[in-house]
Amino acid sequence: MSTNQLAVEIRGADKSFGANHVLQKIDLDIYKGEVVAIIGPSGSGKSTLLRAINHLEGLDFGYIKVGGELIGVREHRGRLHELPESKIRHQRARIGFVSQNFNLFSNLTIIENVAEGPLAHKKLSRPEALAKAQSLLDQVGIGEKSSAYPRQLSGGQQQRAAIARALALEPELILFDEPTSALDPELVDEVLQVIRALASTGATLVIVTHEIAFARQVATKVVFLDKGQIVESGTSAQVIDNPTNSRTKEFIGKVLWQSFSI
Amino acid sequence: MTLNSTDQLAQKVTIRHKHSLRWVVIAIAAVLVAQYFHGLATNPFYQWHRFAYWFARPVILRGLVVTLEATAASAVLSLIGGVIVALFRLSSNAFLSTIGWVYVWFFRSIPNIVILLFIFNSSAIYPHLNFGIPFWHSFFQINSSKVPYFVFGVVGLTISEVAYAAEVIRSGVLSVDQGQIEAANALGLSKLRQLQRVILPQALRSIVPSYVNLLIGLIKVSSLLYYVSLLDLFGSVQEMGSTYPGDIVPLLIVGSVWYVILTSVISVFQFYVERYFARGAVRTLPPTPIEKLKKQFSEAYYTISRRNRA
């Protein structure tokens, strides 16, 4: 893997919310084509780390580079200055983001949701954007729902539409923030299948998840985060099947026990 | 014992419970309503022939036009002003949000009539209005005493209306789910595009009913224009009432009926605008009154045919 190009470079990422030190000097490399699963107990800083990658959360210290470019900040005389909103917008267009609650625009139809990114960034004309949106919706298996409004869809369908929306800008990287945790159990699989299909196309994915079995199956790298620190990282065989750290062992044990007890 | 539905009772239709007490209440209410309308029609005090005489007199219609013009101008201006003050209040900058807050706090506290009288007398306080660079140079000057009363009236109504509109718009914007804004940020939409494509269309769903409420209030508040020498609908009614004191009651009814008509027209308009902005917010749109009537009839028909079968 190390011969590959770096997709994301996280160096000394550090952030506090008041007295709560959520990220503590995190270093992490993600290579192109890697599928990284970030796991860990709630409150461990997983989501904050993910949201820092597209600057939905700004860091207090440290930096994040995507495709070799600093995200959300620029270097000037040895200091990091936050970029104006207009510059950050263009960087975000390169990074797909899928959140736990789908957050499709409720006043727009599904196809308009998917076409919105390319239209807002003037990447495509309206007919082109709609055609592309339709083919992406076909790809995630909800092509016939294109003129429905988000609330008329099931959670699984909404999440698949949200993935299509993230894909519409042809991002270098897609971030998933617990993509299945707001779904009814029987709808989880249809969303995981779409993510699995994306992983097989060589897309770079970073997934914060509670689905340990899924992480084990799909992730090329698993990162275990606890109390704002990376406790253990490596292949799923290392981190999930043979954890060496006691905190990882305890967490994996708990989560696996829960999934078996269902 | 085997379970089957072949026994007699399993075949029976359920007959709905009859609300006997409700029928008593309906009867009493119907008698009271009938009595009221009977009084309205037969009491000579109302002088319906004089009502008919005044209803569409040019002097009344001229007043109606003034009311409509002043309300419409003030509604448009206060919508624009309301958006601006609301954006000030929503600003993350403390100075701007304080200005917005102070405006709303101050002009909501003062009675409309007081503001109107102040504006009306502003030509005494500010005899000249200068347009130019503040504290430095004036490009042109207007003599305040030459400004038409209508302008004073509209400005007076608008000043306090802006404060109310700003609050309605602000609460509408705040009602939009934070996740929608996050998704728009994650897609890299500009603030303007977020406002235009996502936030305002969703906010309008809760803004429209409250704003229409304000509009209806504004129509009635515009009757205060009479006290700053403008002959609006109420003003014309008052003027005619003092010229023909015997007709004061029919004249007041004429005024009331016109205000009811204006409010009703706005309510119909509101229904369809609300339906438009409900797209996406509900799974199925609420029925129009005609659809509702059709449904009631078909349900009644269904109930009767069921009873007949039973």
Side-chain angles (χ1 to χ4, degrees):
Chain A
M1 279 290 176
S2 55
T3 53
N4 279 355
Q5 264 184 300
L6 264 180
V8 184
E9 208 181 328
I10 301 175
R11 290 287 177 275
D14 202 284
K15 183 169 181 78
S16 302
F17 292 116
N20 189 8
H21 201 174
V22 282
L23 297 179
Q24 306 184 15
K25 297 239 166 292
I26 287 186
D27 294 314
L28 181 65
D29 282 341
I30 296 168
Y31 293 92
K32 284 200 173 147
E34 262 193 320
V35 177
V36 178
I38 302 178
I39 60 171
S42 51
S44 59
K46 303 175 303 251
S47 285
T48 309
L49 180 63
L50 190 82
R51 293 155 56 86
I53 297 177
N54 70 350
H55 204 71
L56 282 177
E57 302 281 1
L59 295 173
D60 297 338
F61 301 97
Y63 67 82
I64 292 175
K65 282 182 178 176
V66 172
E69 186 185 327
L70 280 171
I71 294 297
V73 291
R74 71 191 168 93
E75 198 190 338
H76 183 65
R77 293 186 186 158
R79 294 173 121 190
L80 294 173
H81 297 266
E82 191 163 33
L83 288 171
E85 198 67 38
S86 57
K87 293 257 169 60
I88 299 177
R89 284 197 304 117
H90 292 295
Q91 298 187 325
R92 284 188 181 138
R94 293 164 40 207
I95 306 169
F97 183 79
V98 176
S99 69
Q100 163 173 185
N101 300 314
F102 337 129
N103 290 332
L104 293 167
F105 303 131
S106 61
N107 57 312
L108 302 178
T109 59
I110 296 300
I111 194 164
E112 285 173 319
N113 264 279
V114 179
E116 182 60 19
L119 286 175
H121 290 278
K122 301 197 167 68
K123 294 232 159 123
L124 298 173
S125 70
R126 196 172 164 78
E128 285 169 343
L130 290 175
K132 177 168 197 177
Q134 184 61 53
S135 81
L136 284 168
L137 289 172
D138 290 338
Q139 192 185 318
V140 298
I142 48 169
E144 81 285 6
K145 297 283 183 190
S146 60
S147 56
Y149 285 96
R151 297 234 166 101
Q152 296 166 325
L153 267 56
S154 74
Q157 292 169 330
Q158 288 190 51
Q159 192 59 300
R160 285 188 275 159
I163 294 172
R165 179 173 69 175
L167 289 172
L169 280 166
E170 297 179 0
E172 318 166 9
L173 162 77
I174 306 175
L175 311 173
F176 291 89
D177 189 6
E178 301 188 20
T180 57
S181 54
L183 295 175
D184 290 338
E186 77 272 20
L187 302 177
V188 168
D189 208 49
E190 63 185 55
V191 171
L192 293 184
Q193 268 175 28
V194 171
I195 300 176
R196 202 174 285 135
L198 272 178
S200 69
T201 62
T204 314
L205 310 179
V206 185
I207 310 166
V208 167
T209 185
H210 286 133
E211 303 282 337
I212 297 294
F214 172 73
R216 178 187 186 178
Q217 195 183 29
V218 174
T220 56
K221 182 193 272 177
V222 177
V223 176
F224 176 69
L225 211 65
D226 190 25
K227 300 189 180 111
Q229 291 168 320
I230 293 180
V231 175
E232 205 164 343
S233 80
T235 63
S236 56
Q238 291 166 339
V239 180
I240 296 177
D241 298 339
N242 300 298
T244 52
N245 186 288
S246 61
R247 282 193 277 173
T248 322
K249 274 182 192 166
E250 191 194 345
F251 176 75
I252 302 278
K254 246 187 224 166
V255 188
L256 283 185
W257 184 82
Q258 275 167 3
S259 62
F260 282 127
S261 68
I262 297 169
Chain B
M1 187 182 152
T2 55
L3 282 175
N4 60 56
S5 49
T6 51
D7 66 281
Q8 286 271 298
L9 216 52
Q11 308 292 320
K12 294 297 180 195
V13 142
T14 310
I15 295 171
R16 299 269 172 248
H17 173 65
K18 289 191 189 88
H19 302 268
S20 326
L21 199 65
R22 189 188 286 172
W23 285 106
V24 177
V25 177
I26 290 172
I28 294 172
V31 169
L32 289 177
V33 170
Q35 201 181 18
Y36 175 73
F37 278 104
H38 179 256
L40 215 54
T42 55
N43 192 332
F45 179 75
Y46 293 119
Q47 308 178 60
W48 288 106
H49 61 287
R50 297 305 290 162
F51 169 84
Y53 171 82
W54 283 113
F55 185 70
R57 276 299 107 174
V59 61
I60 299 291
L61 294 185
R62 273 198 296 276
L64 181 66
V65 169
V66 171
T67 291
L68 282 175
E69 283 174 346
T71 309
S74 176
V76 171
L77 291 176
S78 52
L79 184 62
I80 297 167
V83 169
I84 294 170
V85 174
L87 290 179
F88 267 58
R89 276 209 70 183
L90 290 165
S91 165
S92 50
N93 182 297
F95 182 69
L96 295 183
S97 70
T98 307
I99 290 181
W101 185 85
V102 167
Y103 183 95
V104 170
W105 165 76
F106 188 71
F107 288 109
R108 259 197 332 191
S109 313
I110 300 176
N112 261 319
I113 182 74
V114 176
I115 295 177
L116 271 172
L117 289 172
F118 255 109
I119 295 292
F120 188 63
N121 293 306
S122 63
S123 51
I125 312 170
Y126 303 105
H128 303 288
L129 298 173
N130 291 308
F131 292 86
I133 299 166
F135 301 114
W136 189 48
H137 184 71
S138 165
F139 294 125
F140 65 95
Q141 198 181 55
I142 295 175
N143 190 341
S144 304
S145 59
K146 299 229 171 84
V147 176
Y149 289 168
F150 181 79
V151 174
F152 281 134
V154 168
V155 170
L157 290 179
T158 304
I159 283 179
S160 46
E161 202 63 14
V162 164
Y164 296 117
E167 282 303 274
V168 164
I169 291 161
R170 188 179 70 100
S171 76
V173 170
L174 288 179
S175 74
V176 176
D177 180 32
Q178 206 54 35
Q180 300 279 309
I181 296 160
E182 184 187 275
N185 276 328
L187 269 189
L189 305 194
S190 68
K191 286 274 174 276
L192 186 67
R193 187 152 178 125
Q194 290 187 17
L195 209 60
Q196 181 192 332
R197 283 287 277 175
V198 180
I199 300 172
L200 280 185
Q202 291 186 29
L204 276 170
R205 187 172 142 70
S206 66
I207 290 175
V208 169
S210 318
Y211 196 77
V212 170
N213 230 0
L214 281 187
L215 212 59
I216 290 170
L218 181 64
I219 290 179
K220 288 177 292 179
V221 165
S222 73
S223 60
L224 294 175
L225 291 176
Y226 173 61
Y227 295 102
V228 292
S229 311
L230 277 170
L231 282 185
D232 69 318
L233 179 58
F234 175 70
S236 318
V237 165
Q238 277 287 79
E239 286 284 303
M240 290 300 106
S242 51
T243 318
Y244 304 91
D247 282 355
I248 187 71
V249 170
L251 275 164
L252 285 175
I253 299 174
V254 165
S256 309
V257 168
W258 275 118
Y259 281 117
V260 168
I261 290 172
L262 293 185
T263 306
S264 312
V265 169
I266 289 180
S267 307
V268 172
F269 173 72
Q270 171 186 13
F271 177 82
Y272 286 96
V273 175
E274 271 180 33
R275 236 172 96 83
Y276 176 81
F277 284 114
R279 289 168 319 152
V282 287
R283 282 175 184 226
T284 47
L285 285 176
T288 61
I290 294 164
E291 286 168 353
K292 237 186 241 169
L293 271 179
K294 271 188 191 159
K295 189 166 168 257
Q296 292 240 312
F297 274 116
S298 70
E299 259 168 21
Y301 174 77
Y302 179 67
T303 318
I304 290 164
S305 60
R306 244 158 57 117
R307 207 165 279 171
N308 289 344
R309 266 191 287 135

